[in-house]
Amino acid sequence: MDYQNFLRLSVFSRIHPDHMPDVIAELDIRTARFPKNTVVLRAGTRSRRMGMVLSGSVTIQRLDYLGNRWLLGLSGRGEIFGETYALISREPMMVDVVANEDCEILYLDLSRIFFPDLMKKTWYAPLLQSLLHITAEKNLELSLHSFHTFPKTVRGRLLSYFKTQTLCAGKTEFDIPLNRQQLADYLNLDRSALSNELCKMRDEGLLSFHKNHFRLTPAGVAGLPVEE
């Protein structure tokens, strides 16, 4: 296993290279490849393993009994998924993780971080620090998702999402990681309604866009939600 590539991943970035073989063995680290649209983790199953994307990307989604899909997030290279369920392995998965494209996934057994012997390892504290930092980032992403779906109107949800993108990019021109269908699923909207509203906003001079590239005009920026 080429663990040198793993050191570029945020979860292992604090660990000395000499310790990686021991980390791989103790956490039972494995890798697997999945073609596009394959279910990586299925709702209803229980898992002790956290996943990390080595290449490609996965979507975290939920399907109801009518087949409606809610996109809760997208994890790209170096990002994790399933960490909460891995830490509380008695709880069944409430979401599906699906390969958004051909991807390679690294799995590590998080249940082992509670083993007393591992807590004595030199690499244990750096690994735990990285996991806590990454988990905090994921919690922030989930909070943002709830902010974006709180507004009752299509425009309100789009403006909430665009505000986050402008803050992250530090400018009013940015690319988003989602296509139209994924954006509609993420904001819990009908795709046609979302596309129609984007066209209205463009015609009103609030923004311009091409595929996943957006630019807000001064009028569009003025319409962004104001923090209380």
Side-chain angles (χ1 to χ4, degrees), residues 73-92:
L74 185 147
S75 295
R77 186 184 183 282
E79 296 180 320
I80 67 173
F81 59 87
E83 70 284 355
T84 300
Y85 293 103
L87 288 169
I88 312 175
S89 57
R90 66 180 180 275
E91 295 294 328

Side-chain angles (χ1 to χ4, degrees), residues 10 17 67 79 98 100 108 115 141 157 159 181 188 196 221:
S10 57
E79 296 180 320
V98 180
N100 189 52
L108 56 87
F115 290 1
E141 290 176 10
R157 295 184 184 189
L159 288 174
Q181 184 60 61
N188 195 16
N196 289 339
V221 172

Side-chain angles (χ1 to χ4, degrees), residues 11-209:
V11 72
F12 302 127
S13 62
R14 303 170 191 258
I15 296 176
H16 192 279
D18 292 345
H19 296 153
M20 277 306 300
D22 190 42
V23 175
I24 291 171
E26 293 288 357
L27 297 181
D28 192 23
I29 291 177
R30 308 175 185 179
T31 61
R33 295 182 181 273
F34 296 88
K36 181 178 180 179
N37 296 327
T38 302
V39 177
V40 177
L41 285 175
R42 189 176 299 278
T45 60
R46 292 174 173 82
S47 176
R48 298 178 305 179
R49 294 186 174 276
M50 179 190 82
M52 174 168 283
V53 181
L54 293 178
S55 64
S57 61
V58 298
T59 55
I60 296 87
Q61 61 188 47
R62 183 181 174 96
L63 291 176
D64 64 16
Y65 287 113
L66 299 177
N68 298 311
R69 183 177 77 149
W70 284 270
L71 179 62
L72 302 177
L74 185 147
S75 295
R77 186 184 183 282
E79 296 180 320
I80 67 173
F81 59 87
E83 70 284 355
T84 300
Y85 293 103
L87 288 169
I88 312 175
S89 57
R90 66 180 180 275
E91 295 294 328
M93 295 277 295
M94 295 296 172
V95 296
D96 291 311
V97 180
V98 180
N100 189 52
E101 55 191 305
D102 292 350
C103 59
E104 183 177 12
I105 305 298
L106 176 148
Y107 293 103
L108 56 87
D109 188 344
L110 274 193
S111 68
R112 298 190 175 201
I113 68 171
F114 299 114
F115 290 1
D117 288 345
L118 285 196
M119 297 179 186
K120 303 173 186 177
K121 299 282 187 177
T122 305
W123 49 262
Y124 181 83
L127 176 69
L128 201 61
Q129 290 171 358
S130 295
L131 285 172
L132 287 172
H133 180 77
I134 294 170
T135 302
E137 289 182 333
K138 292 294 292 293
N139 287 336
L140 178 59
E141 290 176 10
L142 289 174
S143 296
L144 289 173
H145 182 259
S146 66
F147 295 157
H148 301 331
T149 55
F150 180 77
K152 297 184 182 301
T153 65
V154 176
R155 181 167 298 194
R157 295 184 184 189
L158 282 168
L159 288 174
S160 176
Y161 180 74
F162 289 152
K163 179 169 185 176
T164 296
Q165 298 304 310
T166 59
L167 291 174
C168 291
K171 54 185 179 181
T172 58
E173 189 168 357
F174 49 84
D175 293 318
I176 67 173
L178 308 174
N179 60 35
R180 289 293 182 274
Q181 184 60 61
Q182 291 171 337
L183 181 59
D185 292 338
Y186 179 72
L187 297 177
N188 195 16
L189 295 170
D190 176 77
R191 179 176 175 174
S192 296
L194 179 141
S195 296
N196 289 339
E197 191 61 39
L198 284 175
C199 290
K200 288 180 182 178
M201 295 171 71
R202 179 193 60 196
D203 295 343
E204 293 173 18
L206 302 179
L207 54 77
S208 61
F209 59 85

